[in-house]
Amino acid sequence: MDIPRIFNITESAHRIHNPVTPEKLAVLGSALRMEPGTRVLDLGSGSGEMLCTWARDHGITGTGVDMSSLFTEQAKLRALELGVADKVRFIHGDAAGYVSDEKVGVAACVGATWIGGGVAGTIDLLKRSLGAGGIILIGEPYWRQLPPSEDVARGCLAQSISDFLLLPGLIASFSRLGCDVVEMVLADQDGWDRYEAAKWLTMRRWLEANPGDELAETVRAELTSEPLRYTAYTREYLGWGVFALMPR
């Protein structure tokens, strides 16, 4: 069980696998007003930066689940580096359908709502682990401005314009799902740059070290095309944010 290898290659140097900076992640942790000892579940936990830094800064305990064996091992190493290995644990596995044995104060899926078949299904999944008065975290893209054509939407790696909503529409959709929006932290273009542009140096270094690899042509093609695609489309049209929700 693992994610497609291309992601393990292009994001191998990432600590955060979303377009959010460490500073924004810290702002989010403070905004949630978590008490020490709060249990946090993170489905699609990547390299564990959210759980590890929040354990260090706020005294939370937590469990992360991710399909990438590489990212899961990186998360365990990060926990050791920050001295919080006794507070957080990371499971290599499929987050889809994962329910915590104990109720948690924060149930998160930040940038991986495909595990529940979309936002609505992911919220329903997270509710199964959530204790009374707890908070759900959803990380999701939205249109900063509507693309003028379907071709532009596809340039943002969407299938169509209808894949995402404008920010007010996304907020309204949470309300229709029976949730109050109680906080949000939005990525900015610098956060997108750090997420996307950091891949390019990783790919170049990987190509230099692995010229004969079966994925070398794929990685070379991405390195050639991605800087232009990203700056022409994603950077201008696509937003991303983490939204804190409480079921009504």
Side-chain angles (χ1 to χ4, degrees):
M1 178 186 298
D2 215 320
I3 62 174
R5 184 168 170 244
I6 186 66
F7 297 107
N8 281 329
I9 292 171
T10 61
E11 298 188 26
S12 61
H14 283 50
R15 281 185 173 167
I16 303 173
H17 301 275
N18 290 300
V20 61
T21 61
E23 293 78 14
K24 293 268 190 176
L25 200 59
V27 167
L28 178 62
S30 296
L32 297 179
R33 309 175 198 172
M34 296 175 290
E35 297 290 335
T38 297
R39 287 193 296 272
V40 179
L41 174 66
D42 187 9
L43 299 184
S45 50
S47 295
E49 191 72 0
M50 186 173 82
L51 286 181
C52 289
T53 56
W54 288 2
R56 177 195 63 193
D57 298 339
H58 303 288
I60 62 100
T61 63
T63 299
V65 184
D66 199 275
M67 284 185 68
S68 170
S69 56
L70 172 64
F71 299 163
T72 302
E73 288 306 310
Q74 289 177 336
K76 293 175 181 178
L77 291 173
R78 184 63 167 154
L80 289 170
E81 179 185 0
L82 296 186
V84 296
D86 60 331
K87 295 181 180 295
V88 293
R89 66 179 181 130
F90 294 97
I91 299 168
H92 173 230
D94 189 355
Y98 185 92
V99 178
S100 176
D101 293 335
E102 295 183 271
K103 296 296 184 182
V104 301
V106 177
C109 180
V110 179
T113 54
W114 53 266
I115 68 169
V119 171
T122 301
I123 289 175
D124 285 341
L125 172 60
L126 294 173
K127 283 180 179 178
R128 295 168 63 189
S129 297
L130 195 67
I135 290 176
I136 290 170
L137 293 182
I138 292 288
E140 190 70 3
Y142 59 88
W143 293 123
R144 294 180 64 236
Q145 53 180 318
L146 278 179
S149 69
E150 295 291 350
D151 283 344
V152 172
R154 286 188 286 271
C156 299
L157 303 183
Q159 296 298 312
S160 71
I161 295 173
S162 62
D163 279 6
F164 306 125
L165 300 167
L166 290 167
L167 183 57
L170 181 57
I171 295 295
S173 75
F174 295 136
S175 182
R176 290 194 296 270
L177 292 170
C179 294
D180 291 323
V181 180
V182 298
E183 258 292 0
M184 69 178 188
V185 173
L186 304 182
D188 55 22
Q189 287 178 311
D190 181 59
W192 273 112
D193 291 347
R194 291 302 84 237
Y195 174 57
E196 293 289 350
K199 299 175 187 177
W200 308 336
L201 180 58
T202 299
M203 286 191 281
R204 178 56 190 262
R205 295 300 189 215
W206 184 89
L207 283 168
E208 290 170 351
N210 300 275
D213 191 278
E214 62 182 4
L215 279 184
E217 287 188 13
T218 299
V219 174
R220 163 42 63 193
E222 286 209 14
L223 178 57
T224 301
S225 64
E226 277 298 287
L228 179 56
R229 184 207 62 77
Y230 164 66
T231 52
Y233 298 111
T234 298
R235 195 176 195 272
E236 297 304 312
Y237 291 96
L238 198 61
W240 191 86
V242 185
F243 304 89
L245 315 174
M246 295 183 72
R248 295 185 186 130

